[in-house]
Amino acid sequence: MVTTRTLLERLHEPDETVEAHLVAELDRLLGQPARQQAAADEILFQQGEELGGVIILLEGQVKLYKMINEQEVVFHSQTVGRLLGLLALSGLAHAFFNCRTITPVTYLRISVESLDRALQHSEDLQQVFLTVIMRSMARRSTRLVELQAEVLALNKNLARERDALAQTLRELQQAQSLLVESEKMATLGHLAAGVAHELNNPIAAINRSADFLQADLQALTAELPEGGVFGEMLQRALTHKPLSSREQRARRTALAEVLDDDTWAETLVEAGLEDVADYERLVTGLTGSRAERVAQLGRYYQLGSALRNIKGCSQRIAGLVKSLRGYSRADQADAAPVDIHEGLEDTLCLFTNRLRAVKVEKQFAAIPPVHGHAGELNQVWTNLIANALDAMQDSGQLTLVTAERDGEVVVQVQDNGPGIPPAHQSRIFDVRFSTRQGRMEFGLGLGLSIVRNIVSRHGGRITVGSEPGCTVFSVCLPVAHQHSIPTRNPK
Amino acid sequence: MKNKPVILCLEDEPEVRDAILRDLAPFKPVARLEAADHVEDAKEVLAASAAAGEPIGLILCDHLMPGISGVEFLVGLQQDPAYAQTRKVLITGQAGLEDTVRAVNEARLHHYIAKPWTAEELQATVRDQLTEFVLATQDDPTPFIGVLDGPRILEHIAATGRDK
């Protein structure tokens, strides 16, 4: 016999004692119910099955699980306890879990009626039974909390992995955009080089023809009866320093006062004459009416100034072509020593049309050549200058600074535009970041991500400092960077 | 001919200015050619012409110039009733769509000539535009018949019965 104890005292007894007591009481009250056996990995009952009683596990281990999405999800194995079919007993009548043995087991199966009978006969059994139930429930609910925590942790891991995947995808997309953009740039470079090359022939021919024309005209002046005047007018036009429209008007007004004739004054100024004595001397060498002679002087002069304009403009085109070729001297297979100043000058030359209202200040120090790809570095200057001009809306001061510092060549591109908002500063090197809405000038301003990419492939780095009225991009390139630099388009 | 209308050519590159002015030489009998290489100078021309009582008949304007752009200049001019009848032509190789739209909408641009131009194109445009100006402002357009759009001027005279 067992001494009678209170429920609270029972609750403090070790599991084994309480469980042994439960089995002893059931044996006593129900006349030693039969011990049943089951092998390992056998199903004791299945979810939804009507149990009609409880199972008391005497030896061995079982697990309680459910099938979720055709997968076995184990809810309890260590936390099963000795009493099975608890939820069925508590009013559900049907088994809540599947129960499968892990090891061979020995158990008692007690029907509801028998259990009820036994409980009615023994207050002691009631206490022990209650204790076992409470402990089982406590263990299982603890387990549920743990499961919940596990689910949370898993979810967190999942979220982390999902973020990592999203990041990888973004990086892949960035890498792809970079590739596409550099391909585009390389294509443009080749195109530009091709066009520059094609332009060389016509511009050489124009240049030479202008010289031939000049030589022939000068020879002609020696043969014509009025050649002396022609020659002088030609020479005046060719060497004439171009006047501003304002100066020209001032001369016309001054002459008009002397001559008291607006039309005549206009004609003289157009013929490059500002001195009436000059005019008188020249017209005496000609024949015909005064109007004819004035017109003749004007024609001689215009011949010269047309020739001068052809020569000046064709030289400008030749300069542009040279810059374009220098600029797109792109992507030689091997890195070579690059003259940074040459690259900056070529780039500026190609921006001539946007630099009309911009004061360009060059603070160039004596710097050694940088080892790298000239064409790619020119893209860096192009992007930085294009951005600066965009920021200033093509009007303001652009300062280019070069210096050598601690074995590095530093190139700074500075503008006095409104500055980059602090919120943008950390994002400007991102691939997709752009403040211009679909505005692309000849594929320039491809973005600072490409700039950074090129600079870092040259072993350098790029930084930005910006406040309203002063934005400086600094590119640092190592001087003695002699190892090979991967080209963008390995052939 | 007294108080000839002025054709003002606003262009900052001297070679281009020379070329435009030479292409405009046929208009000399009926218009005075003035040139300016930047906007401030153009304003001086406007002031001088106003003082001399010569109306500004037509402005030929490049777009990209130091300081303010050609379009800005034309837009500013549009505010001034003195130039309400002045014909405005943009001659440029650089204006983007946005600038051009602005010139049309806000400066009431009358014509756009793309560089490089041809003499025929430039002269036809100036002839048409200056004819418009003359018909809108001159009591007696007869002296312009020989150089500008003669048939149109004659038609106009016939229609308005102003033949003098």
Side-chain angles (χ1 to χ4, degrees), chain A residues 267-279:
Chain A
T267 314
L268 288 188
V269 171
E270 273 173 16
L273 296 166
E274 45 186 310
D275 191 337
V276 185
D278 263 349
Y279 161 77

Side-chain angles (χ1 to χ4, degrees), chain A residues 383-416:
Chain A
N383 274 282
L384 295 181
I385 292 172
N387 283 339
L389 294 177
D390 283 351
M392 299 189 291
Q393 300 191 322
D394 293 356
S395 164
Q397 176 158 342
L398 177 73
T399 310
L400 302 179
V401 184
T402 61
E404 188 184 3
R405 217 179 284 150
D406 306 326
E408 283 184 325
V409 164
V410 184
V411 181
Q412 291 184 325
V413 176
Q414 183 182 334
D415 69 70
N416 64 353

Side-chain angles (χ1 to χ4, degrees), chain A residues 242-246 248-249 252 266 270 302-303 305-306 308-309 312-313 316 353-354 356-357 439, chain B residues 12-15 17-18 22 28 32-38 40-41 44-45 62 64-67 94:
Chain A
L243 293 177
S244 73
S245 51
R246 189 179 273 157
Q248 204 152 1
R249 224 169 31 251
R252 194 183 64 200
E266 194 179 328
E270 273 173 16
Q302 279 181 347
L303 256 177
S305 58
R308 188 192 65 220
N309 286 349
C313 290
R316 258 172 66 194
N353 131 46
R354 291 185 62 186
R356 287 156 188 250
R439 209 172 124 232
Chain B
D12 65 319
E13 291 204 21
E15 294 91 348
R17 209 167 52 231
D18 276 0
R22 187 151 175 196
K28 276 184 180 176
R32 206 155 64 73
L33 301 188
E34 286 285 1
D37 49 18
H38 59 279
E40 284 313 308
D41 195 31
E44 280 181 25
V45 173
D62 184 19
L64 276 187
M65 282 173 299
Q94 302 105 333

Side-chain angles (χ1 to χ4, degrees), chain A residues 159-202:
Chain A
R160 231 191 335 261
E161 273 168 31
R162 192 192 54 214
D163 289 349
L165 273 175
Q167 175 67 22
T168 310
L169 183 65
R170 264 199 303 278
E171 279 165 12
L172 270 173
Q173 283 170 339
Q174 292 195 349
Q176 193 202 16
S177 313
L178 271 182
L179 268 175
V180 170
E181 293 296 358
S182 12
E183 271 309 313
K184 223 163 37 184
M185 204 54 207
T187 310
L188 268 175
H190 289 305
L191 214 60
V195 170
H197 195 79
E198 282 302 312
L199 282 173
N200 264 330
N201 273 334

Side-chain angles (χ1 to χ4, degrees), chain A residues 44-328:
Chain A
L44 284 188
F45 54 83
Q46 278 183 308
Q47 178 179 339
E49 192 180 317
E50 203 166 319
L51 282 179
V54 292
I55 289 172
I56 292 158
L57 204 56
L58 301 178
E59 273 169 42
Q61 271 194 331
V62 300
K63 59 184 177 188
L64 296 178
Y65 64 94
K66 273 178 172 289
M67 296 306 288
I68 297 173
N69 295 331
E70 292 171 25
Q71 265 205 314
E72 182 183 304
V73 180
V74 176
F75 283 83
H76 300 287
S77 61
Q78 297 302 320
T79 47
V80 173
R82 291 284 143 198
L83 207 50
L84 303 174
L86 276 173
L87 290 173
L89 193 65
S90 62
L92 290 172
H94 302 282
F96 187 69
F97 291 115
N98 294 300
C99 178
R100 190 189 282 274
T101 59
I102 298 174
T103 61
V105 296
T106 310
Y107 62 94
L108 294 177
R109 196 184 271 269
I110 315 267
S111 69
V112 176
E113 298 78 31
S114 309
L115 185 62
D116 199 26
R117 194 157 15 101
L119 286 171
Q120 282 177 22
H121 279 91
S122 163
E123 208 172 297
D124 198 32
L125 181 64
Q126 287 177 12
Q127 278 190 6
V128 179
F129 192 64
L130 207 54
T131 307
V132 172
I133 288 179
M134 282 177 72
R135 288 205 183 157
S136 282
M137 286 306 188
R139 259 196 302 268
R140 290 188 189 186
S141 71
T142 313
R143 168 73 180 145
L144 279 182
V145 172
E146 283 167 14
L147 279 174
Q148 189 69 31
E150 263 173 47
V151 167
L152 283 177
L154 277 173
N155 274 343
K156 213 170 186 177
N157 273 345
L158 268 177
R160 231 191 335 261
E161 273 168 31
R162 192 192 54 214
D163 289 349
L165 273 175
Q167 175 67 22
T168 310
L169 183 65
R170 264 199 303 278
E171 279 165 12
L172 270 173
Q173 283 170 339
Q174 292 195 349
Q176 193 202 16
S177 313
L178 271 182
L179 268 175
V180 170
E181 293 296 358
S182 12
E183 271 309 313
K184 223 163 37 184
M185 204 54 207
T187 310
L188 268 175
H190 289 305
L191 214 60
V195 170
H197 195 79
E198 282 302 312
L199 282 173
N200 264 330
N201 273 334
I203 205 56
I206 291 175
N207 247 333
R208 298 304 303 128
S209 300
D211 285 345
F212 298 150
L213 259 178
Q214 186 178 338
D216 288 346
L217 282 174
Q218 275 161 344
L220 199 61
T221 60
E223 294 159 16
L224 287 175
E226 289 156 357
V229 179
F230 185 9
E232 187 177 338
M233 291 307 284
L234 194 62
Q235 204 52 38
R236 273 172 178 263
L238 282 170
T239 54
H240 186 63
K241 178 180 154 289
L243 293 177
S244 73
S245 51
R246 189 179 273 157
E247 286 167 327
Q248 204 152 1
R249 224 169 31 251
R251 283 193 184 179
R252 194 183 64 200
T253 315
L255 262 181
E257 266 176 39
V258 177
L259 300 170
D260 197 27
D261 184 334
D262 283 354
T263 316
W264 192 14
E266 194 179 328
T267 314
L268 288 188
V269 171
E270 273 173 16
L273 296 166
E274 45 186 310
D275 191 337
V276 185
D278 263 349
Y279 161 77
E280 298 292 356
R281 178 174 57 77
L282 284 162
V283 286
T284 47
L286 299 172
T287 53
S289 68
R290 191 182 87 161
E292 279 166 0
R293 285 181 291 170
V294 170
Q296 205 171 350
L297 275 183
R299 262 199 305 283
Y300 292 157
Y301 188 80
Q302 279 181 347
L303 256 177
S305 58
L307 197 54
R308 188 192 65 220
N309 286 349
I310 291 175
K311 289 174 78 173
C313 290
S314 74
Q315 271 158 20
R316 258 172 66 194
I317 296 177
L320 269 170
V321 169
K322 187 164 161 283
S323 293
L324 201 57
R325 291 184 71 202
Y327 178 88
S328 55

